Amino acid sequence: MRFMKLVLVAALTAAPAMTFAQTTAPEQPRNPIVKREFNQQRRIGNGMRSGRLTARQDVRLERQQRSIHRQFRAMRARHNGRLTMRERRMIYHRQNIASRRIFRAKHHNRRIG
């Protein structure tokens, strides 16, 4: 009986510590394309929260991100989860354009000085 109490106390004190150690910030994806999508989505969300993006700009940027993601998924589906170098460059190019548009939308009509 005494051993059971000891095991129970040890389990109750160790369980919260283990769950606390496991809950960290959301893990970012390892794939650079998916990671960049994640960051751009975050930038759009931050722009909306800060009021730098209008609802119309937000919808347009989200639509563009959705289009890039659909193209990415379709390309991966064609090659069993892999992208060719040409397809990867095409996705990077579209993401560069989207990133530029996000920046310009967030800083539109903002004069410094």
Side-chain angles (χ1 to χ4, degrees):
M1 188 69 176
R2 191 172 195 176
F3 179 71
M4 285 290 273
K5 284 184 183 178
L6 181 65
V7 170
L8 183 62
V9 169
L12 290 176
T13 55
M18 289 179 4
T19 54
F20 180 72
Q22 291 176 356
T23 55
T24 58
E27 187 176 325
Q28 289 197 356
R30 291 186 182 167
N31 183 336
I33 293 174
V34 176
K35 185 176 180 180
R36 186 141 182 220
E37 283 180 6
F38 177 81
N39 287 337
Q40 288 184 353
Q41 288 286 65
R42 185 175 44 83
R43 288 173 58 205
I44 294 169
N46 289 343
M48 275 301 289
R49 273 192 297 283
S50 70
R52 291 186 150 211
L53 289 177
T54 65
R56 187 174 186 172
Q57 289 170 325
D58 177 56
V59 168
R60 188 171 289 154
L61 293 170
E62 291 283 352
R63 187 182 315 129
Q64 185 180 23
Q65 289 297 311
R66 191 169 44 248
S67 169
I68 294 170
H69 186 69
R70 281 184 185 149
Q71 184 182 22
F72 172 66
R73 281 191 0 233
M75 287 176 175
R76 282 184 65 178
R78 273 183 276 188
H79 300 287
N80 296 325
R82 300 257 180 201
L83 290 178
T84 64
M85 186 56 83
R86 181 174 185 213
E87 291 169 338
R88 198 171 296 129
R89 279 196 311 256
M90 197 181 328
I91 295 292
Y92 285 147
H93 179 70
R94 288 195 66 197
Q95 284 181 332
N96 286 340
I97 293 170
S99 179
R100 230 175 289 133
R101 285 185 177 162
I102 293 168
F103 179 84
R104 288 179 181 156
K106 285 174 75 173
H107 298 87
H108 183 67
N109 289 336
R110 305 259 182 218
R111 293 181 190 243
I112 298 173

